[in-house]
Amino acid sequence: MSGILLVMEKSVKLEDIVSLAKRRGFIYQGSNVYGGLSGTWDYGPLGVSLKRNIMNLWWRMFVDERADMYGVDAAILMNQKVWQASGHVDTFTDPLVECSHCKGRFREDKLDDPNKCPACGKEGTFGEARAFNMMFRTFVGPSGQNDLTIGEPMEGADDKHNLQGMKAMTYDPNAISYLRPETAQGIFTNYKNVVDNFYPDLPFGIAQQGKAFRNEISPRDFVFRSREFEQMEIEYFVHPDKWEESFEHWVTKCKEWFEALGLPAESVHELEVPEDDRAHYSKRTIDFEFDYPIGREELMGLAYRTDFDLANIQRASKKSMEYQVKGTNEKFVPHVIEPSFGVERALMAVLVSAYREDEQNGEKRIYLALPEHLAPVKYAVSPLLKNKPELVDKAREVYAKLSKENPGRVMWDDNGNIGKRYRRQDEIGTPHCVVIDFQTLEDDSVTIRNRDTTEQQRTSIDNI
Ligand code: GAP
């Protein structure tokens, strides 16, 4: 008999999640073969499925199932004027301090002790913090890469870049662009296109998913703070007098989203962000925080951005961003409620919520109790013995049938003995393991094992 020993979510360690993610092909350090690139992560076969399942669920809930939502997919590289008008060129900064002893650079507001260097341990070696802009800058076209971007290598650095000759090149400041630090601006710049093409009634939203890039001073805690990550954002355009009711609407929708991800309600917390801590564009922000193994941290944000962005675009582009209410002369620049979701933080919360350990027949078992709609693999199909061609042939038939009904979500697994296969599938969160045995050959029935209870049921192939 199996003794069940549940590991509560709060005691899950970050190392457990990182180790499982690597061991089972979810997430690897980016550029691992060359020693890695800090703040970047690569998704393996199961990670990419889990991530897509999360992103597709979001798109279905917030775009496909709503009549008031329009999807866009804007370019990552945008005209530099976007980032000037949005305030990012001037204010998207973190405070950076440098240790005069070891030259280590740190984000001042994340230091445990602001007087002590966490790298060399010296005290009083930090000078004044400087504002470090987190946008990755680049040049569009063959007009850049000069001393502005390169400068001299740091003292003692081994410079392998072979940049001789480049330093003398001139550059065109108009060619400067940035990798977008948020997907939101790609939505605002398409607001007018959507209004002109689709004439939506207010309130309506524009949604986008995609990569965002931030040159974080201290990327850390696995995918939690990365330099390249994905966002799922909505800009919801409302009448200026009605922002409060739309804000409440989105509080409710965010909670429905957390439930759909399988996050325990008691692990998600609402933080009303005080004025001093809010982003420059926000008049009200709620951060939804989650109890990660690293502590209670931001999962996503919900902000009232007023008409900050559209008014800036109107000023900078000299094009009207006004909305005219149908059948009236009433015109105004709409205000905006912005639910901003981070994919990596959602994925990490899903893994933490699903991680379990128990004991089966005296042995420790690790499994992911993922909601079935998020699990990368829904069915694993195995012949009981892989050296019996009649079992393998029948199992292939079942595999083909299930794959047709659940494209991309069925795994063929004949490695090792059946116990090992179950362990492997448990660790990747497969809810159902289907085994083809000798009885299958007689009556077309198979066993299906439940991941969470480990109980097996016999059922006919047609009833799976
Ligand atoms: N458009 C508003 C905006 O970008 P934000 O609070 O800076 O607001 C929104 O970011 C969400 O993006 C965060 O709540 C988080 O989920 C995710 N996010 C931000 N920076 C991140 C990073 N360095 N790594 C992973 N996710 C990040």
Side-chain angles (χ1 to χ4, degrees):
M1 280 303 291
S2 61
I4 303 280
L5 167 76
L6 262 191
V7 170
M8 302 310 292
E9 289 81 13
K10 281 193 184 71
S11 66
V12 176
K13 296 195 196 70
L14 186 62
E15 304 91 85
D16 298 331
I17 302 293
V18 177
S19 155
L20 187 145
K22 187 174 170 195
R23 186 170 74 240
R24 292 298 178 201
F26 283 86
I27 303 175
Y28 313 110
Q29 171 71 61
S31 312
N32 195 25
V33 71
Y34 289 112
L37 178 66
S38 174
T40 66
W41 298 93
D42 294 345
Y43 285 78
L46 297 177
V48 80
S49 295
L50 178 58
K51 186 160 92 152
R52 287 213 175 144
N53 289 345
I54 291 172
M55 293 176 79
N56 291 343
L57 177 68
W58 185 92
W59 195 266
R60 202 175 73 218
M61 274 178 76
F62 294 128
V63 184
D64 291 344
E65 289 179 0
R66 293 182 65 121
D68 61 349
M69 200 65 73
Y70 299 81
V72 294
D73 187 5
I76 288 175
L77 290 174
M78 302 178 82
N79 190 310
Q80 57 177 255
K81 289 179 185 157
V82 168
W83 307 109
Q84 286 156 6
S86 67
H88 283 80
V89 171
D90 290 333
T91 62
F92 195 60
T93 58
D94 272 342
L96 174 81
V97 285
E98 182 172 293
C99 170
S100 59
H101 180 72
C102 72
K103 307 291 180 216
R105 292 175 181 178
F106 308 97
R107 194 171 141 180
E108 189 188 40
D109 58 338
K110 296 282 175 198
L111 290 171
D112 290 335
D113 178 348
N115 282 318
K116 191 171 172 185
C117 173
C120 69
K122 292 262 184 237
E123 291 193 11
T125 53
F126 294 138
E128 188 97 332
R130 69 183 172 92
F132 174 77
N133 195 298
M134 288 196 287
M135 286 197 292
F136 283 100
R137 188 180 53 197
T138 187
F139 290 88
V140 177
S143 61
Q145 275 103 34
N146 70 335
D147 53 343
L148 179 84
T149 45
I150 296 163
E152 290 301 318
M154 289 165 89
E155 208 182 307
D158 184 11
D159 185 8
K160 305 183 187 76
H161 294 278
N162 192 21
L163 297 173
Q164 295 91 332
M166 301 291 282
K167 290 177 189 159
M169 278 175 70
T170 56
Y171 74 97
D172 174 6
N174 294 319
I176 291 177
S177 185
Y178 304 90
L179 299 186
R180 66 181 178 204
E182 61 170 14
T183 57
Q185 295 305 322
I187 296 179
F188 289 122
T189 47
N190 279 292
Y191 154 82
K192 194 146 173 47
N193 291 335
V194 172
V195 169
D196 290 350
N197 291 156
F198 298 92
Y199 316 108
D201 288 325
L202 282 185
F204 74 93
I206 305 182
Q208 172 165 229
Q209 298 184 331
K211 292 270 186 179
F213 303 83
R214 296 184 188 178
N215 199 2
E216 296 282 353
I217 296 170
S218 315
R220 65 196 166 95
D221 299 326
F222 196 33
V223 295
F224 182 85
R225 194 175 302 288
S226 313
R227 289 184 168 137
E228 176 177 339
F229 55 98
E230 299 217 43
Q231 289 186 319
M232 308 180 283
E233 296 199 296
I234 292 165
E235 307 304 327
Y236 199 66
F237 300 95
V238 302
H239 190 287
D241 296 341
K242 299 205 170 142
W243 73 268
E244 274 156 317
E245 63 193 66
S246 284
F247 197 95
E248 289 316 316
H249 167 80
W250 282 104
V251 170
T252 307
K253 291 288 144 191
C254 290
K255 289 181 182 163
E256 287 172 15
W257 166 246
F258 304 142
E259 204 182 324
L261 288 183
L263 311 188
E266 63 278 12
S267 301
V268 182
H269 311 272
E270 274 177 51
L271 174 77
E272 187 73 46
V273 180
E275 191 177 346
D276 288 353
D277 294 341
R278 289 201 292 261
H280 58 282
Y281 49 72
S282 173
K283 274 245 173 84
R284 184 181 175 197
T285 298
I286 287 181
D287 278 351
F288 287 96
E289 298 186 317
F290 180 77
D291 292 324
Y292 291 100
I294 52 174
R296 187 174 292 182
E297 294 283 353
E298 180 183 332
L299 167 64
M300 63 156 295
L302 175 64
Y304 168 41
R305 286 181 85 125
T306 68
D307 61 352
F308 177 85
D309 300 273
L310 290 183
N312 280 341
I313 293 176
Q314 182 165 270
R315 229 181 337 269
S317 69
K318 303 197 170 41
K319 296 198 175 80
S320 171
M321 294 293 130
E322 281 185 328
Y323 177 91
Q324 175 152 14
V325 180
K326 281 177 207 161
T328 75
N329 289 329
E330 193 186 3
K331 268 189 185 179
F332 50 85
V333 175
H335 282 215
V336 168
I337 307 297
E338 180 196 62
S340 176
F341 304 74
V343 176
E344 283 72 8
R345 292 193 189 178
L347 188 143
M348 209 165 133
V350 166
L351 288 177
V352 169
S353 304
Y355 187 91
R356 305 273 192 286
E357 287 178 11
D358 68 5
E359 216 177 272
Q360 296 292 334
N361 305 320
E363 271 184 44
K364 178 177 141 182
R365 171 179 82 129
I366 295 172
Y367 68 104
L368 289 181
L370 291 170
E372 185 167 310
H373 56 277
L374 295 182
V377 178
K378 191 168 162 190
Y379 297 104
V381 178
S382 293
L384 181 64
L385 301 169
K386 83 188 234 191
N387 58 358
K388 296 284 175 206
E390 61 276 33
L391 291 185
V392 174
D393 289 349
K394 190 71 189 169
R396 285 274 174 210
E397 253 176 54
V398 175
Y399 172 79
K401 173 182 161 7
L402 289 177
S403 297
K404 204 165 170 202
E405 292 159 7
N406 305 271
R409 301 196 63 204
V410 184
M411 187 185 265
W412 175 262
D413 192 355
D414 62 3
N415 270 330
N417 64 36
I418 203 77
K420 283 204 175 123
R421 292 177 212 167
Y422 285 154
R423 288 295 133 85
R424 188 163 48 239
Q425 295 300 331
D426 286 344
E427 283 205 355
I428 66 173
T430 305
H432 314 288
C433 287
V434 179
V435 174
I436 284 72
D437 55 19
F438 291 104
Q439 196 177 323
T440 316
L441 304 178
E442 285 166 23
D443 62 7
D444 257 7
S445 71
V446 293
T447 62
I448 302 190
R449 174 183 174 273
N450 178 299
R451 171 197 66 199
D452 299 345
T453 62
T454 74
E455 273 164 20
Q456 294 180 33
Q457 256 190 330
R458 250 203 125 83
T459 188
S460 77
I461 291 170
D462 289 339
N463 280 343
I464 298 175

